[in-house]
Amino acid sequence: MKTLIKNIKRLVGTQDPRSPLRGSELAMLPALDDAFLLIEDGVISDFGTMQQFEADRSYEPPQVINATGRFVLPAWVDSHTHLVFAGSREEEMVDKIRGFSYAEIAARGGGILNSASRLHATSEDQLFISAWERIREIASMGTGAVEIKSGYGLTVEDELKILRVIKKLKQRSSLPIRSTFLGAHTYPATFKDDHEGYICQIIEDMLPVIAADGLADYIDVFCEQGFFSPEETERICRAGMYHGLKPRIHANQLNLSGGVQVGVKLGAISVDHLETMDDDAIGTLAHSDTIGTLLPNAAFFLRMPFQPARQLIDAGCAVALASDYNPGSAPSGNMNLVVSMACIQMKMLPEEAVNAATVNGAFALEWGSQLGSIAKGKKANLIITKPIPSLAWLPYSFGRTAIDTVLIQGEPIISGK
Ligand code: NIG
Ligand code: FE
């Protein structure tokens, strides 16, 4: 099956880097004007200028998309979500408006524990159906690959339940999905005063089954004051690594938790959140191969200072952008909004934000050679915009969708006008 996209006003992201873009590289986003792109069997098989197309080709395949006036770019790679969950938590938003903090709401049995008890009461089938809807929703907004974490189970039975749902989503969805075990999201009520007991349960009862059943690609820990210390984070991650799960860590969201340092020490694929950073944490990250994944929607929703993207990039870090889609701190999987937030609030250039939300997101999921940019042989997971004047118009026109069509492995999932 062949599809030709022709007369593309600008084909954005024509690159194939071998490693995540860092520092000043992030501002370089190669593009071709007046371009074509050919898709064969779900993969980008060729691209170039229309002039080259007209000189070299004597036929057009049966399926042709005319992209006059439109930009084509790689679909977003959302490398951090918690999109399998049961029920929404808008009442906590109202509690926050009334003045309670995130930590206070968690201490009152809200927060993650609230989602855990709802998940416990929800069937696996129902969880699958609601998560499937969310995947359709994010794909329609331009997301072409996603990572999903567990962490709303917090018992052996329920962590396995949520991971089985993610596995089923992987099997049934054309969207590439990575799965992360986040048993160490918080302590369940039954282990409130027995942290050691819960950590042992993660290491002895959860991890061996998860590994044996192939239920996760990565291990994650919420390294935060009042949750898991750097020492506990290291212990849990090392147990995961023993079972073949690479670490990615929730680090430095609410406090200088030491999460960045422990993540770098362990060779984590990424350290995520990074709202609260100092020079040591920034320097440590800059001198490592670990990607810093910034989640501006969570900072926005929790009214926290945004991640210091400029300092991170200027120090030479590799940064990615992701949504953190979850019911408590970021109830939106809209990566277009993430890119707008990154530009408007974090002073990332549009080119930097697009690179962070595409190619670096792909590297954060170890899919750098398959996704996230326009290169021959990569999956044809693409965004075709409406007619737009410039790349900067994407973040500028925040809250509005500039997307006309999303292709997942060459197949349109929304066709607008
Ligand atoms: O990434 N920080 C920890 N976990 C989630 C929030 C989870 C929740 O409140 O349900 C996050 O922001
Ligand atoms: Fe998160």
Side-chain angles (χ1 to χ4, degrees):
M1 177 60 158
K2 289 190 187 184
T3 304
L4 169 70
I5 312 176
K6 67 176 190 179
N7 300 322
I8 302 166
K9 180 174 177 178
R10 179 166 282 195
L11 179 61
V12 174
T14 49
Q15 59 184 339
D16 196 9
R18 300 286 128 202
S19 54
L21 303 173
R22 54 175 61 245
S24 57
E25 293 168 349
L26 271 155
M28 288 180 262
L29 181 63
L32 279 180
D33 287 338
D34 194 21
F36 77 95
L37 182 140
L38 190 65
I39 301 166
E40 282 180 65
D41 299 324
V43 164
I44 299 169
S45 62
D46 202 3
F47 63 91
T49 61
M50 281 308 291
Q51 215 178 9
Q52 288 166 334
F53 178 80
E54 273 145 24
D56 292 359
R57 280 164 199 278
S58 54
Y59 77 97
E60 287 192 355
Q63 197 155 294
V64 179
I65 299 173
N66 188 350
T68 302
R70 295 156 201 275
F71 281 45
V72 171
L73 59 153
W76 311 123
V77 177
D78 190 351
S79 62
H80 180 138
T81 83
H82 310 244
L83 69 69
V84 179
F85 57 84
S88 54
R89 291 180 7 217
E90 62 276 18
E91 69 285 355
E92 290 177 18
M93 178 189 78
V94 179
D95 279 350
K96 276 179 221 129
I97 294 168
R98 293 190 197 281
F100 293 101
S101 72
Y102 185 59
E104 281 166 342
I105 290 167
R108 281 151 42 107
I112 297 164
L113 292 182
N114 188 355
S115 283
S117 57
R118 289 179 193 215
L119 186 129
H120 180 70
T122 304
S123 73
E124 209 164 311
D125 284 350
Q126 193 51 47
L127 278 175
F128 176 83
I129 290 167
S130 61
W132 183 259
E133 255 327 294
R134 285 178 205 118
I135 292 203
R136 283 168 49 100
E137 180 207 14
I138 61 170
S140 74
M141 293 190 291
T143 295
V146 67
E147 181 259 15
I148 310 173
K149 300 173 196 297
S150 71
Y152 289 130
L154 307 179
T155 63
V156 180
E157 188 193 328
D158 289 341
E159 280 298 308
L160 295 177
K161 174 161 99 174
I162 184 170
L163 287 168
R164 281 195 302 269
V165 172
I166 302 172
K167 187 171 181 177
K168 209 197 267 187
L169 293 167
K170 271 188 179 188
Q171 289 163 343
R172 305 240 178 122
S173 176
S174 58
L175 217 69
I177 296 173
R178 293 285 204 203
S179 169
T180 300
F181 171 52
L182 176 59
H185 200 182
T186 189
Y187 295 96
T190 40
F191 286 99
K192 191 164 145 287
D193 301 314
D194 180 15
H195 290 186
E196 178 59 24
Y198 186 56
I199 292 170
C200 286
Q201 195 171 79
I202 289 174
I203 293 174
E204 289 163 21
D205 301 337
M206 297 185 190
L207 269 171
V209 187
I210 290 164
D213 293 353
L215 288 174
D217 303 302
Y218 300 104
I219 182 148
D220 195 343
V221 176
F222 188 21
C223 183
E224 187 58 60
Q225 280 173 32
F227 293 80
F228 295 84
S229 69
E231 295 71 30
E232 291 164 338
T233 300
E234 178 166 351
R235 190 171 149 211
I236 295 163
C237 286
R238 285 201 188 281
M241 290 159 82
Y242 172 80
H243 288 285
L245 308 183
K246 292 186 189 165
R248 48 194 324 117
I249 294 173
H250 277 73
N252 295 46
Q253 181 184 12
L254 310 173
N255 295 283
L256 284 171
S257 65
V260 169
Q261 287 83 348
V262 76
V264 168
K265 178 177 168 191
L266 293 167
I269 300 291
S270 67
V271 287
D272 303 27
H273 270 291
L274 313 186
E275 283 87 338
T276 315
M277 295 289 276
D278 62 3
D279 288 347
D280 184 58
I282 293 174
T284 303
L285 189 58
H287 292 101
S288 78
D289 290 331
T290 298
I291 295 171
T293 299
L294 314 180
L295 311 169
N297 280 6
F300 168 72
F301 191 78
L302 298 178
R303 292 188 201 88
M304 291 194 59
F306 283 88
Q307 293 82 3
R310 271 279 46 95
Q311 282 147 273
L312 290 164
I313 294 171
D314 295 346
C317 295
V319 301
L321 285 165
S323 75
D324 200 16
Y325 194 1
N326 76 74
S329 64
S332 163
N334 187 342
M335 286 293 287
N336 306 289
L337 188 60
V338 168
V339 168
S340 284
M341 295 276 182
C343 295
I344 298 162
Q345 294 290 341
M346 292 151 65
K347 298 191 176 169
M348 288 175 74
L349 294 167
E351 292 80 6
E352 292 174 327
V354 169
N355 273 324
T358 55
V359 73
N360 275 11
F363 278 106
L365 297 183
E366 297 181 284
W367 272 329
S369 61
Q370 295 171 55
L371 286 162
S373 71
I374 305 298
K376 286 183 199 176
K378 283 199 169 181
K379 282 196 197 334
N381 291 11
L382 305 167
I383 290 170
I384 305 175
T385 69
K386 293 175 179 162
I388 58 170
S390 66
L391 185 78
W393 200 86
L394 289 178
Y396 162 83
S397 63
F398 79 97
R400 198 186 309 170
T401 176
I403 294 175
D404 178 88
T405 304
V406 180
L407 300 178
I408 301 294
Q409 309 203 38
E411 293 296 321
I413 59 151
I414 24 166
S415 287
K417 271 294 118 254

